[in-house]
Amino acid sequence: MKKYIIFLLSLFSILLVSQVSYSQIKSDLNLEKGDVAVGGYDPVSYFENKVEKGDRHITTVYQGAHYYFVSQKHLEAFKASPQKYSPAYGGWCAYAMGAKGDKVDVNYETYKIQNGRLFLFYNKFFSNTLEDWEEEGAERLEKQADKNWKKYLAQ
């Protein structure tokens, strides 16, 4: 009986920790309408070099966020490898994350696939940070953004 109680307490602790981690992940994502990732765009479509809005009826949930897709094929590709298709830095501006460690909103149609990853950028009011990303050194900024993003995840 004692082993059974210890087992149940351990299981409860694991579930509690996973819920805290889950909510931490979701709170770090750039979401619209509370839980829609990538502004409703199909993350797989970026890798085909044609950014398309997804269909809210073709969806899946990953790390607490809803992802929309243009087809069942894209949905299945995402499910097979969500970390490949999810935008870097939770969908926040890659340039801002690299240059200053800030979470800045993005224009979902301003992006770059670099080193097999999807990077999104701010592009409003005469400021296109994708251009800054290229001019200031994409590889260096990516490394710095990775370091800065880890600080958010460690909080």
Side-chain angles (χ1 to χ4, degrees), residues 4-152:
Y4 180 73
I5 292 172
I6 291 172
F7 171 76
L8 286 177
L9 287 173
S10 299
L11 183 61
F12 178 74
S13 297
I14 290 169
L15 290 173
L16 183 63
V17 169
S18 69
Q19 277 302 105
V20 170
S21 299
Y22 174 81
S23 64
Q24 175 68 33
I25 290 168
K26 183 176 178 181
S27 70
D28 285 320
L29 300 177
N30 184 4
L31 302 176
E32 291 192 4
K33 299 176 186 167
D35 64 356
V36 178
V38 200
Y41 285 85
D42 177 341
V44 177
S45 71
Y46 288 92
F47 290 83
E48 296 177 345
N49 204 26
K50 56 179 182 179
V51 181
E52 298 179 278
K53 276 281 198 178
D55 180 333
R56 66 182 183 89
H57 296 102
I58 307 172
T59 185
T60 192
V61 176
Y62 176 66
Q63 294 183 331
H66 286 83
Y67 289 83
Y68 298 165
F69 304 92
V70 297
S71 68
Q72 191 67 30
K73 179 181 173 186
H74 281 198
L75 171 64
E76 295 307 321
F78 183 88
K79 283 183 171 181
S81 188
Q83 64 282 2
K84 172 184 176 179
Y85 295 108
S86 298
Y89 320 122
W92 299 103
C93 177
Y95 175 79
M97 188 59 63
K100 298 180 182 174
D102 291 340
K103 289 181 181 177
V104 172
D105 208 0
V106 297
N107 175 322
Y108 294 104
E109 294 183 9
T110 306
Y111 73 98
K112 180 176 183 171
I113 304 296
Q114 178 176 306
N115 298 322
R117 300 167 71 193
L118 171 59
F119 295 99
L120 300 172
F121 298 90
Y122 176 89
N123 184 3
K124 297 176 189 164
F125 307 112
F126 310 106
S127 177
N128 182 345
T129 61
L130 174 56
E131 293 171 358
D132 298 330
W133 178 265
E134 296 294 341
E135 289 173 13
E136 295 180 27
E139 294 295 327
R140 179 187 64 78
L141 284 166
E142 180 181 356
K143 288 177 185 172
Q144 187 59 46
D146 288 345
K147 287 179 189 174
N148 291 338
W149 183 242
K150 285 179 184 175
K151 293 175 190 173
Y152 280 103

